[in-house]
Amino acid sequence: MTNNKRKNQGNKNKEVTMKPSNEKDTPIQDYEDDDIEEMQEADLKKLIRTLRSSQKQILELQKSLMDKIENLSRENEILRRNQNETKQLVQQETGIVTEVKNSIDQMKNTIESLTNRMGEAEERISDLEDREQERIQSDQRKEEEIRNLKHIVGNLQDTIKKPNIRVLGVPEGMEREKGLEGLFSEILAENFPGLEKDREILVQEAHRTPNKHDQKRPSPRHIVIKLSTVKHKEKILKCAREKRQITLRGSPIRLTADFSSETLQARREWQDIAQVLRENNCQPRILYPAKLSFVNEGEIKTFHNKQKLKEFVATRPALQKMLKDVLHTETKKHGHQYERR
């Protein structure tokens, strides 16, 4: 029996000694208490070293696992924090997106409102432009009507004044002795003896104009003589043009036709042109009521307005050169008057 035990013990020892002594990852064997008692001291030491090494490995493994667990915990905490931050960022971005959407909706509503207002404003502007155009057209019609009325009134005044003669340059108060009619008879006697004896020349009315004398006025008021017929007026004025120098008691005076203010202005506008034509021997005359007549290339030409004159002058180089400066001045004058309007 003893021999069998020793034999078994030797087999077991052989099993133990077969394990490499320096192997770190040697698996731990399960030993029974009886087996430990039968082990030799060397085998026990070896077993103890193996156990210690295994314990050390277990501790290191445990430490490694704890480190990994701690790292995982930290990473988990970081992930949790990142997740919370991400949630907060998502919430913030969601809030921002909501605000942006609300702002966009408000902008859309504002743009729509502005578009509607612009449409209303454009309609109002269009209405105002239409009204302005209607007002301009109405004003133009009124201006045209006023011009026509002025022209009609001027024609009526010219018709009424057609038999009248204006006497210019007679000093104030000279009519006290003989009256205005007596002064006119004296003018005829002094300048046209033949006409003074003409019994058919009758003065219907005589007065100074304006009615009240302005003491600050340097020149005397005009005398208006109304004759019975236009023929007698034209006869007297023809004689005055032929005589050229008309006097009253030796002092120079002037005899002219009596016109409305509109016709007088129209006649004045021909004066500069008539002066240039006169200097060039074109024999200009301002005909009734406000027409310019002059001789050009042996023919008598008559013009009612300056536009017709300009059109004619454009076809006559010599006449164009003659009237270039005065017509240019007239154009600039009318341009300034239009700008002031």
Side-chain angles (χ1 to χ4, degrees):
M1 178 65 70
T2 304
N3 293 330
N4 291 333
K5 286 182 180 179
R6 288 178 179 174
K7 186 177 181 179
N8 291 334
Q9 186 177 0
N11 292 332
K12 289 179 180 178
N13 290 335
K14 287 179 183 180
E15 291 176 1
V16 171
T17 57
M18 287 174 67
K19 303 293 181 180
S21 59
N22 296 327
E23 185 69 35
K24 290 184 179 180
D25 295 331
T26 303
I28 300 174
Q29 296 181 359
D30 293 332
Y31 295 99
E32 299 293 334
D33 292 338
D34 293 337
D35 296 333
I36 294 173
E37 289 178 358
E38 294 177 355
M39 287 182 183
Q40 295 180 3
E41 185 178 356
D43 294 332
L44 285 173
K45 290 181 179 180
K46 185 177 181 180
L47 177 61
I48 290 169
R49 285 195 300 270
T50 302
L51 288 173
R52 286 178 178 175
S53 176
S54 299
Q55 185 180 10
K56 185 177 181 182
Q57 291 177 4
I58 289 170
L59 290 174
E60 289 176 354
L61 180 61
Q62 184 180 5
K63 184 179 179 182
S64 175
L65 287 173
M66 291 300 293
D67 291 340
K68 288 181 179 180
I69 290 170
E70 187 177 353
N71 290 334
L72 287 173
S73 297
R74 284 197 299 269
E75 290 176 359
N76 187 35
E77 180 66 20
I78 292 170
L79 286 173
R80 188 180 63 79
R81 290 178 182 176
N82 290 339
Q83 186 177 8
N84 291 333
E85 291 178 357
T86 302
K87 285 182 180 179
Q88 292 177 357
L89 289 173
V90 169
Q91 290 176 354
Q92 291 177 358
E93 290 179 355
T94 303
I96 293 172
V97 169
T98 303
E99 291 179 0
V100 170
K101 286 182 178 179
N102 293 334
S103 299
I104 291 172
D105 291 338
Q106 290 178 359
M107 290 176 66
K108 285 181 179 179
N109 293 333
T110 303
I111 291 171
E112 185 177 357
S113 176
L114 289 174
T115 302
N116 293 332
R117 290 183 181 180
M118 286 178 63
E120 293 175 357
E122 288 176 354
E123 290 179 359
R124 291 180 182 176
I125 291 171
S126 179
D127 291 339
L128 289 174
E129 288 177 347
D130 293 339
R131 292 180 184 177
E132 180 65 15
Q133 187 64 29
E134 290 176 358
R135 187 190 66 79
I136 292 172
Q137 292 176 355
S138 177
D139 290 345
Q140 290 175 347
R141 287 194 297 269
K142 288 179 180 178
E143 289 178 358
E144 185 65 24
E145 290 175 359
I146 290 171
R147 283 195 295 269
N148 292 335
L149 288 173
K150 285 183 177 180
H151 184 67
I152 292 170
V153 171
N155 288 338
L156 289 173
Q157 289 179 343
D158 289 334
T159 301
I160 293 171
K161 294 181 177 185
K162 201 167 186 179
N164 295 356
I165 291 179
R166 277 186 180 250
V167 184
L168 289 66
V170 177
E172 295 282 342
M174 188 176 283
E175 66 272 17
R176 290 172 185 168
E177 297 179 4
K178 298 182 179 181
L180 294 175
E181 295 182 9
L183 280 180
F184 184 68
S185 298
E186 186 175 345
I187 291 170
L188 294 182
E190 184 173 334
N191 295 277
F192 320 112
L195 292 178
E196 194 272 336
K197 297 178 182 179
D198 191 344
R199 300 290 182 180
E200 294 181 359
I201 299 178
L202 299 176
V203 176
Q204 291 188 341
E205 183 183 339
H207 65 275
R208 282 191 183 267
T209 183
N211 293 330
K212 293 184 179 180
H213 177 54
D214 186 359
Q215 298 294 335
K216 297 179 181 180
R217 186 183 177 92
S219 58
R221 293 174 294 166
H222 298 175
I223 298 173
V224 177
I225 306 294
K226 184 176 182 179
L227 301 176
S228 57
T229 64
V230 175
K231 184 176 78 171
H232 293 151
K233 179 205 76 171
E234 292 177 349
K235 188 176 182 179
I236 293 171
L237 292 179
K238 182 180 178 182
C239 292
R241 286 193 298 270
E242 292 173 351
K243 190 173 186 299
R244 294 188 179 181
Q245 184 66 40
I246 309 299
T247 59
L248 174 60
R249 300 177 185 177
S251 299
I253 60 171
R254 287 177 55 202
L255 299 181
T256 65
D258 187 26
F259 298 106
S260 64
S261 58
E262 186 181 43
T263 302
L264 281 173
Q265 180 60 33
R267 292 173 69 89
R268 289 192 191 104
E269 290 179 357
W270 289 118
Q271 288 179 358
D272 292 341
I273 297 173
Q275 180 62 32
V276 174
L277 293 171
R278 190 174 295 109
E279 292 172 357
N280 288 273
N281 299 319
C282 294
Q283 303 174 23
R285 290 183 60 192
I286 300 176
L287 304 178
Y288 181 87
K291 296 180 288 185
L292 177 67
S293 174
F294 61 91
V295 177
N296 179 252
E297 297 179 358
E299 296 181 0
I300 298 176
K301 301 293 181 181
T302 304
F303 301 94
H304 294 76
N305 56 64
K306 290 182 180 177
Q307 184 59 38
K308 295 294 182 182
L309 174 62
K310 289 177 182 179
E311 292 174 0
F312 176 76
V313 168
T315 63
R316 299 291 193 277
L319 194 59
Q320 187 176 14
K321 183 178 179 180
M322 183 191 307
L323 298 176
K324 178 180 178 181
D325 293 338
V326 67
L327 287 177
H328 180 67
T329 303
E330 290 290 333
T331 303
K332 288 178 64 177
K333 188 187 299 182
H334 285 293
H336 291 316
Q337 290 176 354
Y338 180 77
E339 289 177 359
R340 287 197 294 271
R341 290 177 185 176

